[in-house]
């Protein structure tokens, strides 16, 4: 690697971090669930178990043990938080560092898979500029850590296959196990790698790869066995939500890239990836040597895992693999000067489009910041002392209310909740709901869980990059709507 390439790569990484730091806590997630991941990590670090108290009563015994996600992210974040704190800024900083490591792995994989240096740098550039990847790397979620473990596993696996070095399969298996135990979306790709070793009849390789994977799953089983009913109940709710993945897939294959999620920016899986799945399948059937069979299968399975996953941030999880895939196709197909010129023009146009989208998101930061500050300050002085507040708001008021109003009892709602009796019980106990109207309509009004005396007492408008949206404060009890507005100051 030349000094110029090293300087260029370092500049990209630094610029990526500076941009995400500029976004800070302003760009919002489409679901206000960051506290649901930070809380278990904090409780674990403080020796209180790995519970999520803000979901108490909504999922089986989740206040004591968190089972609806695998545990590695919580464990990793608890170690990070011991040194850097458990506020939102610290948790997002951890994700940003994972995002940077992901870019480094994109470059290493590109070079390992024999992409030219220039195309390898282009893959890194496109990944860094992609709003979906930026989005994931600026959220307190496990997706960025998962793709880091997965790409590192692919790197070790490739080195093991090419060098016939069996111990590297143990490294690949360990990293694959960490990816799976960070997020289950990694399961299909890890199984593809194991299946490739079986196909090659590398018995020692299979054993080395499977050993850490089986050990990790066994440790997870021991953790789940502490409260098997809670584990089954929480995971069942999660998988019922994932069962709606067809809806997301059908939406993602359409070119609805300009449709905003809460006015922030597009985050669906671009249909160009589906095109790559098709032409890769045709290439493999025709016995083309563009890809090895396991690479083509791993890319395709990763795409469908993201597309059918039913969550919009899975698009960002797949993004680095998608650009590596596109880079490999580009490098293989350039066989003449005319094709090189066409590729160069396409690369310039796509890079320009990405820069335009980033500029549009960045230019809205100041306005978003003002609206969010106004919303947070108003809400903090609009709630009576000791009130129980249900929250499904974007921006999420949890962090600011925790700082300004520790007297409040905050309960975080989630789209994973499907137990109507538990939801009704919590709604009946609560004094207020604060959040986006569509959640209130779909999850509460349509299910007739809202008491007849409920009424909107305040509303705010958040001006996001692509559109404006509303936040409402709803008094769930008649006496709550007549409560004296108290100031916490």
């Amino acid at each position: 690697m030349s000094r110029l390439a090293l300087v260029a790569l370092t500049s990209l990484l630094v610029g990526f971090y500076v941009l995400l730091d500029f976004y800070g806590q302003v760009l919002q997630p489409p679901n206000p669930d960051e506290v649901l991941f930070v809380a278990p990590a904090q409780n674990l670090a403080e020796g209180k178990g790995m519970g999520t108290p803000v979901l108490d009563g909504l999922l089986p015994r989740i206040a004591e043990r968190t089972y609806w996600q695998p545990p590695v992210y919580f464990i990793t974040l608890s170690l990070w938080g011991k040194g850097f704190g458990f506020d939102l800024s610290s948790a997002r900083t951890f994700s940003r560092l994972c995002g940077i490591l992901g870019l480094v792995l994109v470059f290493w994989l590109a070079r390992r898979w024999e992409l030219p240096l220039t195309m390898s740098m282009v893959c890194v550039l496109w990944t860094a500029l992609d709003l979906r990847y930026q989005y994931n790397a600026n959220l307190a979620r496990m997706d960025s850590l998962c793709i880091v473990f997965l790409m590192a596993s692919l790197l070790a696996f490739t080195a093991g296959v090419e060098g016939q070095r069996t111990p590297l399969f143990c490294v690949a298996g360990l990293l694959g196990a960490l990816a799976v135990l960070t997020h289950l979306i990694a399961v299909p790709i890890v199984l593809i790698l194991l299946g490739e070793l079986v196909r090659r009849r590398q018995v020692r390789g299979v054993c080395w790869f499977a050993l850490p994977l089986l050990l990790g799953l066994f440790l997870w089983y021991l953790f789940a066995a502490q409260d098997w009913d809670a584990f089954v109940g929480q995971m069942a709710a999660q998988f019922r939500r994932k069962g709606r993945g067809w809806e997301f897939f059908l939406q993602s294959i359409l070119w609805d890239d300009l449709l905003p999620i809460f006015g922030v920016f597009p985050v669906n899986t671009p249909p160009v990836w589906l095109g790559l799945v098709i032409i890769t399948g045709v290439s493999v059937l025709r016995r083309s040597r563009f890809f090895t069979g396991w690479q083509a299968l791993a890319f395709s399975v990763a795409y469908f895992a993201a597309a059918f996953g039913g969550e919009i941030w899975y698009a960002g999880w797949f993004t680095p693999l998608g650009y590596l895939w596109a880079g490999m196709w580009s490098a293989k197909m350039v066989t003449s000067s005319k094709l090189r010129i066409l590729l160069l023009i396409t690369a310039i146009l796509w890079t320009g489009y990405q820069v335009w989208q980033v500029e549009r998101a960045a230019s809205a930061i100041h306005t978003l910041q003002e609206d969010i500050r106004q919303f947070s300050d108003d809400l903090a002085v609009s709630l009576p002392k000791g009130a129980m507040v249900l929250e499904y708001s974007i921006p999420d008021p949890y962090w600011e209310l925790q700082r300004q109003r520790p007297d409040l009892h905050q309960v975080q709602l989630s789209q994973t909740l499907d137990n109507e009796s538990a939801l009704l019980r919590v709604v009946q106990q609560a004094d207020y709901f604060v959040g986006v109207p569509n959640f209130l309509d779909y999850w509460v009004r349509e299910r007739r869980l809202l008491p007849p005396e409920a009424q909107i007492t305040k509303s705010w408008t958040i001006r996001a990059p692509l559109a404006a949206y509303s936040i409402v404060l709803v008094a769930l009890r008649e006496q709550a709507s007549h409560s004296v507005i108290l100031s916490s100051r």
Side-chain angles (χ1 to χ4, degrees):
M1 184 176 179
S2 67
R3 181 177 299 179
L4 180 61
L6 180 61
V7 170
L9 180 60
T10 303
S11 300
L12 263 176
L13 299 179
V14 172
F16 179 78
Y17 184 86
V18 169
L19 178 62
L20 296 193
D21 189 60
F22 172 70
Y23 291 159
Q25 300 178 37
V26 177
L27 287 184
Q28 300 302 308
N31 286 328
D33 56 6
E34 289 172 291
V35 63
L36 307 184
F37 307 127
V38 176
Q42 183 172 4
N43 285 331
L44 182 62
E46 294 174 353
K48 301 176 183 177
M50 206 167 71
T52 311
V54 290
L55 283 175
D56 190 17
L58 293 170
L59 287 170
R61 291 184 289 284
I62 197 168
E64 290 80 38
R65 293 185 178 89
T66 301
Y67 286 133
W68 68 333
Q69 293 286 352
V72 165
Y73 178 71
F74 303 131
I75 295 170
T76 308
L77 191 60
S78 72
L79 297 174
W80 170 267
K82 282 185 176 181
F84 301 98
F86 290 97
D87 58 3
L88 184 58
S89 176
S90 171
R92 286 192 172 189
T93 298
F94 176 72
S95 292
R96 291 168 198 156
L97 295 177
C98 290
I100 289 174
L101 185 53
L103 293 176
V104 173
L105 286 166
V106 167
F107 182 81
W108 282 351
L109 271 173
R111 297 299 286 155
R112 169 60 69 175
W113 288 342
E114 299 181 349
L115 268 70
L117 180 60
T118 302
M119 182 54 68
S120 300
M121 293 296 298
V122 168
C123 289
V124 177
L125 174 65
W126 284 348
T127 304
L129 285 175
D130 196 286
L131 285 173
R132 299 162 182 83
Y133 187 77
Q134 292 178 16
Y135 196 60
N136 277 16
N138 201 43
L139 292 180
R141 285 184 54 88
M142 61 283 297
D143 308 270
S144 290
L145 181 62
C146 175
I147 196 62
V148 163
F149 283 139
L150 188 60
M151 287 195 294
S153 178
L154 290 171
L155 188 64
F157 184 86
T158 304
V161 168
E162 292 178 352
Q164 297 298 314
R165 288 176 287 180
T166 304
L168 284 175
F169 294 133
C170 184
V171 176
L174 175 61
L175 292 165
L178 290 171
V180 167
L181 295 176
T182 300
H183 200 298
L184 294 179
I185 195 173
V187 168
I189 299 91
V190 172
L191 291 180
I192 291 298
L193 302 185
L194 181 61
E196 175 64 13
L197 292 175
V198 172
R199 188 191 69 82
R200 291 169 177 258
R201 299 180 181 178
Q202 294 189 1
V203 178
R204 293 182 62 191
V206 170
C207 294
W208 278 101
F209 187 90
L211 180 62
L213 187 61
L214 293 175
L215 178 60
L217 293 176
F218 177 69
L219 293 174
W220 191 25
Y221 166 77
L222 292 181
F223 175 56
Q226 297 177 47
D227 193 341
W228 192 251
D229 289 340
F231 175 81
V232 172
Q234 292 181 30
M235 291 300 292
Q238 185 75 293
F239 278 103
R240 280 192 292 270
R241 171 169 166 74
K242 304 303 180 188
R244 301 195 297 270
W246 272 101
E247 301 171 12
F248 180 80
F249 175 69
L250 292 175
Q251 182 185 23
S252 69
I253 63 175
L254 301 175
W255 192 263
D256 56 354
D257 201 46
L258 296 179
L259 296 180
I261 300 299
F262 290 107
V264 180
F265 42 66
V267 285
N268 276 354
T269 309
V272 65
W273 302 141
L274 181 58
L276 285 178
V277 171
I278 295 171
I279 63 174
T280 300
V282 172
S283 172
V284 171
L285 289 175
R286 292 184 175 182
R287 300 178 182 266
S288 168
R289 295 184 180 181
F290 280 5
F291 297 94
T292 60
W294 71 265
Q295 283 178 322
L297 194 55
F299 278 130
S300 301
V301 165
Y303 167 78
F304 284 114
F308 285 107
E311 305 287 357
I312 60 179
W313 32 67
Y314 293 170
W317 172 87
F318 177 76
T319 290
L321 297 178
Y323 284 122
L324 278 169
W325 200 359
M328 292 176 73
W329 264 109
S330 300
K332 301 289 186 181
M333 292 180 67
V334 174
T335 56
S336 67
S337 58
K338 290 183 179 180
L339 285 175
R340 290 191 184 94
I341 293 173
L342 179 61
L343 178 62
L344 178 61
I345 293 172
T346 303
I348 292 172
L349 290 175
W350 181 248
T351 304
Y353 173 71
Q354 288 184 301
V355 170
W356 171 67
Q357 289 221 61
V358 170
E359 189 278 332
R360 184 172 54 178
S363 64
I365 291 297
H366 180 67
T367 301
L368 269 172
Q369 205 166 32
E370 287 183 351
D371 290 349
I372 292 170
R373 185 183 299 113
Q374 183 68 46
F375 161 67
S376 300
D377 291 345
D378 283 355
L379 182 64
V381 299
S382 298
L383 295 168
K385 187 175 182 180
M388 180 177 176
V389 187
L390 303 182
E391 298 168 1
Y392 191 87
S393 174
I394 302 163
D396 187 355
Y398 175 86
W399 308 94
E400 192 62 25
L401 288 180
Q402 186 184 47
R403 184 181 69 84
Q404 295 191 44
R405 297 294 307 277
D407 59 288
L408 298 173
H409 178 196
Q410 300 185 67
V411 176
Q412 197 82 4
L413 300 178
S414 167
Q415 291 191 21
T416 303
L417 307 175
D418 63 352
N419 187 327
E420 290 196 8
S421 61
L423 189 56
L424 177 61
R425 184 169 57 251
V426 172
V427 170
Q428 289 174 338
Q429 294 171 351
D431 300 300
Y432 293 92
F433 167 85
V434 58
V436 292
N438 68 338
F439 183 89
L440 188 67
D441 292 338
Y442 181 74
W443 292 95
V444 181
R445 284 201 174 98
E446 286 189 14
R447 298 183 178 194
R448 299 182 180 179
L449 302 175
L450 203 64
E453 64 271 19
Q455 59 179 299
I456 295 176
T457 60
K458 274 198 171 187
S459 66
W460 297 266
T461 298
I462 306 296
R463 294 167 293 172
L466 301 184
Y469 64 95
S470 298
I471 308 276
V472 295
L473 176 63
V474 179
L476 299 177
R477 303 168 183 263
E478 187 175 358
Q479 61 268 33
S481 64
H482 293 92
S483 296
V484 178
I485 296 178
L486 301 176
S487 172
S488 60
R489 303 183 183 185

